[in-house]
Amino acid sequence: MTVSNDTNQLAPSPFFIVMNAGSGDKDAVQREDAIRSVLAAGKRPYRLWRVSDIRRLPEAAREAVLLARQQQGTVVAAGGDGTINAVVREVLPSGSPFGVLPQGTFNYFSRAHGIPLDTEEACSLLLHGVLRPVQVGLVNQRPFLVNASLGLYPKLLEKREVHKQRFGRSRFVAALSGLATLLAPPPRLVLALDDGAGSDVVHICTLVVDNNLLQLRQVGLPEARAVQQGELAAIAVKAQGVGQLISALALAVLGKLGEADAVESFSFKRLSVKPLHGGRRIKVATDGEVTWMVPPLVFQAAPDSLLLVVPRSKTVGGEGG
């Protein structure tokens, strides 16, 4: 990593940008043009990988990290939280500086760190921002920036993807898919949780481990204070039926999830999770991407921080933009 005399200030160096364009996305062309225009005006060298097949994201990210290390450059992810996660998996072990050009639906990671949602503004930030260490969560050594979950949420994500492929990719289809999943009987998980201070057996429909101040504040959980200080927040939803689940979701929308009877939350430094019933693998969603993992699942903050390009006057957990 190359920095100027101000240890937080990025020195002029090349950017290596991995962009999730999406097949046939006309907006992606406009975003790419905006990126090239801003960097050309700033006279900053760069290389951009425009990836239409998400299966090629890891390959492009590895190449970007290799060149960034060779040329003391900054790796940049252009996309939503899932794209950012895919690139961070390669960046985190390298220690390279990291930038974000948010292009997703919710953009929780970018917003929590004050990164503008407008592509031109976010690209300008790359030229004038500073480096700050940012906490990354791990589940069995797999990084996550926003949250990791098991139970209902991975199921919802998988159903949504099936419905999008069948009916088209739109927010309307995503909303109907989510509603259909929520109206079905929620899954039942029996988990043994061990945070080092003691173990407990819980019967829940979903477990979410959160690493995002903004998301925790929006749903109204006090554990937001602990996140980014070496701890993560666990949210166990114990809803036994559709009615309790809908009630908890309504309170989350109102920013009062902490008042839900069917929800228990706590902060921790290390949490071991082991299903007491089921197969040898369990589905886990990390920043919206579903994968299979072998229990026990161990959640903790990564020992090394991510060096993120942020605004000089960034407010942690702010809305950004």
Side-chain angles (χ1 to χ4, degrees):
M1 175 182 66
T2 301
V3 296
S4 66
N5 292 332
D6 178 351
T7 56
N8 287 331
Q9 175 63 50
L10 273 170
S13 59
F15 294 116
F16 299 95
I17 305 167
V18 180
M19 177 180 178
N20 184 358
S23 180
D25 187 348
K26 294 181 180 179
D27 289 340
V29 175
Q30 297 174 354
R31 292 194 296 266
E32 182 179 350
D33 288 344
I35 294 168
R36 295 187 184 279
S37 176
V38 171
L39 295 183
K43 298 181 179 179
R44 185 65 65 89
Y46 69 92
R47 178 172 173 183
L48 187 148
W49 289 259
R50 183 181 175 186
V51 182
S52 296
D53 184 348
I54 59 173
R55 292 173 296 182
R56 289 200 59 249
L57 279 173
E59 176 187 345
R62 283 191 290 271
E63 188 173 356
V65 168
L66 177 63
L67 292 175
R69 296 188 68 179
Q70 291 174 348
Q71 301 180 37
Q72 297 294 294
T74 298
V75 181
V76 179
D81 289 328
T83 298
I84 295 169
N85 180 294
V87 179
V88 163
R89 285 178 224 157
E90 305 298 331
V91 173
L92 187 62
S94 76
S96 296
F98 182 64
V100 172
L101 300 175
Q103 298 177 1
T105 303
F106 298 106
N107 300 302
Y108 271 112
F109 178 72
S110 305
R111 293 164 57 205
H113 296 288
I115 298 171
L117 302 185
D118 178 80
T119 299
E120 290 187 5
E121 292 179 12
C123 202
S124 180
L125 169 62
L126 293 178
L127 298 171
H128 306 293
V130 295
L131 285 176
R132 298 270 169 77
V134 169
Q135 177 174 293
V136 176
L138 297 177
V139 50
N140 288 11
Q141 300 304 310
R142 184 183 179 95
F144 61 93
L145 298 169
V146 180
N147 61 48
S149 60
L150 53 151
L152 178 62
Y153 191 54
K155 178 182 177 182
L156 187 151
L157 291 172
E158 287 192 320
K159 291 291 186 181
R160 186 175 67 184
E161 187 60 28
V162 170
H163 291 149
K164 281 184 175 181
Q165 290 180 3
R166 183 175 180 182
F167 301 110
R169 295 184 175 275
S170 70
R171 290 189 180 185
F172 180 71
V173 170
L176 288 182
S177 174
L179 181 61
T181 304
L182 292 175
L183 291 178
R188 296 289 301 277
L189 296 175
V190 182
L191 304 177
L193 307 182
D194 187 350
D195 64 358
S199 60
D200 193 14
V201 175
V202 295
H203 296 251
I204 62 176
C205 68
T206 192
L207 175 71
V208 178
V209 174
D210 211 301
N211 183 49
N212 189 272
L213 262 69
L214 177 60
Q215 192 171 65
L216 288 166
R217 286 175 177 171
Q218 282 188 341
V219 299
L221 290 176
E223 284 74 23
R225 292 189 297 269
V227 171
Q228 298 295 320
Q229 297 178 9
E231 295 190 348
L232 301 170
I235 307 162
V237 181
K238 301 180 179 181
Q240 299 298 306
V242 174
Q244 279 190 316
L245 183 59
I246 296 297
S247 175
L249 289 173
L251 287 171
V253 171
L254 294 172
K256 299 179 179 181
L257 185 59
E259 300 177 12
D261 293 333
V263 173
E264 179 181 345
S265 62
F266 58 93
S267 59
F268 65 88
K269 288 187 176 294
R270 185 181 187 274
L271 180 68
S272 176
V273 178
K274 184 177 181 180
L276 297 185
H277 306 296
R280 296 181 179 179
R281 300 188 302 163
I282 188 169
K283 288 180 182 178
V284 180
T286 51
D287 294 338
E289 302 297 319
V290 180
T291 188
W292 286 97
M293 292 190 179
V294 177
L297 305 177
V298 178
F299 296 89
Q300 60 193 337
D304 298 319
S305 298
L306 182 69
L307 295 175
L308 181 67
V309 182
V310 300
R312 295 174 181 271
S313 58
K314 176 184 73 71
T315 300
V316 177
E319 289 289 335

